[in-house]
Amino acid sequence: DQQVKQNSPSLSVQEGRISILNCDYTNSMFDYFLWYKKYPAEGPTFLISISSIKDKNEDGRFTVFLNKSAKHLSLHIVPSQPGDSAVYFCAASGWNSGNTPLVFGKGTRLSVIA
Amino acid sequence: DSGVTQTPKHLITATGQRVTLRCSPRSGDLSVYWYQQSLDQGLQFLIQYYNGEERAKGNILERFSAQQFPDLHSELNLSSLELGDSALYFCASSPRTSGTLNEQFFGPGTRLTVL
């Protein structure tokens, strides 16, 4: 049973436009969420995180939004650049539910077209 | 560069064999995690160690085992290898066991091919 779902395996966006990557979760004990970016032949790289006490966190071109009632989060990249082309993984953990490790989604492959 | 190192980068072996993958965490990180990524799959959590002790266990097969040594490096042992064990194996490290601001930093991975 997938606790973290990224329903879009791929996404294509034009350079300069907004990229929106979505993630849904089912476990209500999750209260810390992260996005990782992965280039081919490299390990995932931490991008941005958000805890459940917030509904938005911003870092430069990257913003993560959290909708707890819908158990949904999204990553916005504005403006999108060709170097953003990578696989993006959503991950979740529950800090107060024991030593729950990160649970990852299957990823969304973002292609930013110049 | 995340500061997490993994060796070897590539490993090709035959079914039935045993291999050992090695991971050195970032300086100061006490937790080490192992993940498996098969083709078109997400990252599957295998096992976590914190300061030498097993802390959490995921869907790790009985043929697989791991340990964390006093110098905090970790090894993942895979035995009686099967074709389906071919995958990318990632190690990650973090400062603590869990919680916020405890982001995991990943190594470059070991690509295992079982022929």
PDB file of all heavy atoms in Angstrom, chain B residues 84-101:
ATOM      1  N   GLY B  84      16.547 -10.604  -9.456  1.00  0.00           N
ATOM      2  CA  GLY B  84      15.702  -9.500  -9.012  1.00  0.00           C
ATOM      3  C   GLY B  84      16.361  -8.554  -8.031  1.00  0.00           C
ATOM      4  O   GLY B  84      15.800  -7.509  -7.705  1.00  0.00           O
ATOM      5  N   ASP B  85      17.543  -8.912  -7.550  1.00  0.00           N
ATOM      6  CA  ASP B  85      18.261  -8.024  -6.634  1.00  0.00           C
ATOM      7  C   ASP B  85      19.017  -6.933  -7.388  1.00  0.00           C
ATOM      8  O   ASP B  85      19.556  -6.010  -6.769  1.00  0.00           O
ATOM      9  CB  ASP B  85      19.241  -8.821  -5.780  1.00  0.00           C
ATOM     10  CG  ASP B  85      18.546  -9.837  -4.886  1.00  0.00           C
ATOM     11  OD1 ASP B  85      17.408  -9.549  -4.441  1.00  0.00           O
ATOM     12  OD2 ASP B  85      19.125 -10.914  -4.644  1.00  0.00           O
ATOM     13  N   SER B  86      19.058  -7.045  -8.701  1.00  0.00           N
ATOM     14  CA  SER B  86      19.714  -6.007  -9.508  1.00  0.00           C
ATOM     15  C   SER B  86      18.984  -4.689  -9.289  1.00  0.00           C
ATOM     16  O   SER B  86      17.764  -4.604  -9.493  1.00  0.00           O
ATOM     17  CB  SER B  86      19.672  -6.369 -10.992  1.00  0.00           C
ATOM     18  OG  SER B  86      20.418  -7.540 -11.231  1.00  0.00           O
ATOM     19  N   ALA B  87      19.713  -3.691  -8.865  1.00  0.00           N
ATOM     20  CA  ALA B  87      19.100  -2.411  -8.512  1.00  0.00           C
ATOM     21  C   ALA B  87      20.194  -1.423  -8.174  1.00  0.00           C
ATOM     22  O   ALA B  87      21.376  -1.764  -8.119  1.00  0.00           O
ATOM     23  CB  ALA B  87      18.168  -2.572  -7.302  1.00  0.00           C
ATOM     24  N   LEU B  88      19.751  -0.182  -7.929  1.00  0.00           N
ATOM     25  CA  LEU B  88      20.628   0.837  -7.350  1.00  0.00           C
ATOM     26  C   LEU B  88      20.438   0.790  -5.844  1.00  0.00           C
ATOM     27  O   LEU B  88      19.292   0.785  -5.359  1.00  0.00           O
ATOM     28  CB  LEU B  88      20.228   2.220  -7.845  1.00  0.00           C
ATOM     29  CG  LEU B  88      20.888   2.761  -9.093  1.00  0.00           C
ATOM     30  CD1 LEU B  88      20.173   4.005  -9.570  1.00  0.00           C
ATOM     31  CD2 LEU B  88      22.355   3.064  -8.838  1.00  0.00           C
ATOM     32  N   TYR B  89      21.521   0.774  -5.124  1.00  0.00           N
ATOM     33  CA  TYR B  89      21.450   0.782  -3.666  1.00  0.00           C
ATOM     34  C   TYR B  89      22.055   2.095  -3.181  1.00  0.00           C
ATOM     35  O   TYR B  89      23.209   2.412  -3.446  1.00  0.00           O
ATOM     36  CB  TYR B  89      22.190  -0.419  -3.080  1.00  0.00           C
ATOM     37  CG  TYR B  89      21.467  -1.710  -3.365  1.00  0.00           C
ATOM     38  CD1 TYR B  89      21.663  -2.381  -4.573  1.00  0.00           C
ATOM     39  CD2 TYR B  89      20.549  -2.238  -2.461  1.00  0.00           C
ATOM     40  CE1 TYR B  89      20.972  -3.544  -4.867  1.00  0.00           C
ATOM     41  CE2 TYR B  89      19.865  -3.406  -2.740  1.00  0.00           C
ATOM     42  CZ  TYR B  89      20.078  -4.055  -3.945  1.00  0.00           C
ATOM     43  OH  TYR B  89      19.388  -5.202  -4.232  1.00  0.00           O
ATOM     44  N   PHE B  90      21.221   2.850  -2.457  1.00  0.00           N
ATOM     45  CA  PHE B  90      21.661   4.139  -1.938  1.00  0.00           C
ATOM     46  C   PHE B  90      21.835   4.068  -0.439  1.00  0.00           C
ATOM     47  O   PHE B  90      21.049   3.438   0.273  1.00  0.00           O
ATOM     48  CB  PHE B  90      20.639   5.237  -2.256  1.00  0.00           C
ATOM     49  CG  PHE B  90      20.577   5.621  -3.698  1.00  0.00           C
ATOM     50  CD1 PHE B  90      19.525   5.201  -4.494  1.00  0.00           C
ATOM     51  CD2 PHE B  90      21.578   6.417  -4.260  1.00  0.00           C
ATOM     52  CE1 PHE B  90      19.479   5.560  -5.836  1.00  0.00           C
ATOM     53  CE2 PHE B  90      21.526   6.778  -5.596  1.00  0.00           C
ATOM     54  CZ  PHE B  90      20.469   6.340  -6.388  1.00  0.00           C
ATOM     55  N   CYS B  91      22.828   4.782   0.007  1.00  0.00           N
ATOM     56  CA  CYS B  91      23.023   5.006   1.421  1.00  0.00           C
ATOM     57  C   CYS B  91      22.750   6.488   1.673  1.00  0.00           C
ATOM     58  O   CYS B  91      23.026   7.333   0.812  1.00  0.00           O
ATOM     59  CB  CYS B  91      24.471   4.664   1.775  1.00  0.00           C
ATOM     60  SG  CYS B  91      25.030   5.243   3.368  1.00  0.00           S
ATOM     61  N   ALA B  92      22.176   6.789   2.813  1.00  0.00           N
ATOM     62  CA  ALA B  92      21.956   8.177   3.205  1.00  0.00           C
ATOM     63  C   ALA B  92      22.364   8.330   4.659  1.00  0.00           C
ATOM     64  O   ALA B  92      22.405   7.352   5.411  1.00  0.00           O
ATOM     65  CB  ALA B  92      20.495   8.567   3.015  1.00  0.00           C
ATOM     66  N   SER B  93      22.659   9.564   5.047  1.00  0.00           N
ATOM     67  CA  SER B  93      22.958   9.804   6.457  1.00  0.00           C
ATOM     68  C   SER B  93      22.250  11.060   6.931  1.00  0.00           C
ATOM     69  O   SER B  93      21.845  11.919   6.127  1.00  0.00           O
ATOM     70  CB  SER B  93      24.467   9.919   6.686  1.00  0.00           C
ATOM     71  OG  SER B  93      24.996  11.147   6.210  1.00  0.00           O
ATOM     72  N   SER B  94      22.050  11.140   8.219  1.00  0.00           N
ATOM     73  CA  SER B  94      21.433  12.321   8.826  1.00  0.00           C
ATOM     74  C   SER B  94      21.989  12.480  10.233  1.00  0.00           C
ATOM     75  O   SER B  94      22.526  11.536  10.802  1.00  0.00           O
ATOM     76  CB  SER B  94      19.908  12.201   8.854  1.00  0.00           C
ATOM     77  OG  SER B  94      19.498  11.208   9.772  1.00  0.00           O
ATOM     78  N   PRO B  95      21.823  13.676  10.817  1.00  0.00           N
ATOM     79  CA  PRO B  95      22.422  13.903  12.136  1.00  0.00           C
ATOM     80  C   PRO B  95      21.792  13.077  13.258  1.00  0.00           C
ATOM     81  O   PRO B  95      22.486  12.613  14.158  1.00  0.00           O
ATOM     82  CB  PRO B  95      22.181  15.396  12.392  1.00  0.00           C
ATOM     83  CG  PRO B  95      21.926  15.973  11.044  1.00  0.00           C
ATOM     84  CD  PRO B  95      21.278  14.892  10.243  1.00  0.00           C
ATOM     85  N   ARG B  96      20.437  12.922  13.181  1.00  0.00           N
ATOM     86  CA  ARG B  96      19.726  12.294  14.299  1.00  0.00           C
ATOM     87  C   ARG B  96      18.936  11.088  13.800  1.00  0.00           C
ATOM     88  O   ARG B  96      19.086  10.662  12.656  1.00  0.00           O
ATOM     89  CB  ARG B  96      18.787  13.333  14.938  1.00  0.00           C
ATOM     90  CG  ARG B  96      19.529  14.513  15.561  1.00  0.00           C
ATOM     91  CD  ARG B  96      18.547  15.573  16.068  1.00  0.00           C
ATOM     92  NE  ARG B  96      17.778  16.174  14.993  1.00  0.00           N
ATOM     93  CZ  ARG B  96      18.233  17.107  14.167  1.00  0.00           C
ATOM     94  NH1 ARG B  96      19.480  17.518  14.278  1.00  0.00           N
ATOM     95  NH2 ARG B  96      17.469  17.619  13.232  1.00  0.00           N
ATOM     96  N   THR B  97      18.066  10.594  14.668  1.00  0.00           N
ATOM     97  CA  THR B  97      17.290   9.418  14.276  1.00  0.00           C
ATOM     98  C   THR B  97      16.074   9.793  13.450  1.00  0.00           C
ATOM     99  O   THR B  97      15.685   9.074  12.544  1.00  0.00           O
ATOM    100  CB  THR B  97      16.802   8.649  15.519  1.00  0.00           C
ATOM    101  OG1 THR B  97      15.997   9.521  16.320  1.00  0.00           O
ATOM    102  CG2 THR B  97      17.969   8.159  16.347  1.00  0.00           C
ATOM    103  N   SER B  98      15.441  10.861  13.797  1.00  0.00           N
ATOM    104  CA  SER B  98      14.199  11.219  13.107  1.00  0.00           C
ATOM    105  C   SER B  98      13.866  12.654  13.443  1.00  0.00           C
ATOM    106  O   SER B  98      14.614  13.332  14.134  1.00  0.00           O
ATOM    107  CB  SER B  98      13.046  10.303  13.541  1.00  0.00           C
ATOM    108  OG  SER B  98      12.799  10.446  14.922  1.00  0.00           O
ATOM    109  N   GLY B  99      12.709  13.111  12.962  1.00  0.00           N
ATOM    110  CA  GLY B  99      12.243  14.428  13.335  1.00  0.00           C
ATOM    111  C   GLY B  99      12.464  15.457  12.254  1.00  0.00           C
ATOM    112  O   GLY B  99      13.035  15.178  11.204  1.00  0.00           O
ATOM    113  N   THR B 100      12.010  16.653  12.526  1.00  0.00           N
ATOM    114  CA  THR B 100      12.180  17.722  11.556  1.00  0.00           C
ATOM    115  C   THR B 100      13.634  18.162  11.512  1.00  0.00           C
ATOM    116  O   THR B 100      14.404  17.906  12.432  1.00  0.00           O
ATOM    117  CB  THR B 100      11.297  18.924  11.914  1.00  0.00           C
ATOM    118  OG1 THR B 100      11.660  19.369  13.228  1.00  0.00           O
ATOM    119  CG2 THR B 100       9.832  18.540  11.901  1.00  0.00           C
ATOM    120  N   LEU B 101      13.964  18.819  10.436  1.00  0.00           N
ATOM    121  CA  LEU B 101      15.329  19.293  10.216  1.00  0.00           C
ATOM    122  C   LEU B 101      16.333  18.153  10.334  1.00  0.00           C
ATOM    123  O   LEU B 101      17.468  18.355  10.760  1.00  0.00           O
ATOM    124  CB  LEU B 101      15.677  20.420  11.199  1.00  0.00           C
ATOM    125  CG  LEU B 101      14.744  21.642  11.125  1.00  0.00           C
ATOM    126  CD1 LEU B 101      15.150  22.680  12.143  1.00  0.00           C
ATOM    127  CD2 LEU B 101      14.744  22.228   9.722  1.00  0.00           C
TER     128      LEU B 101
END
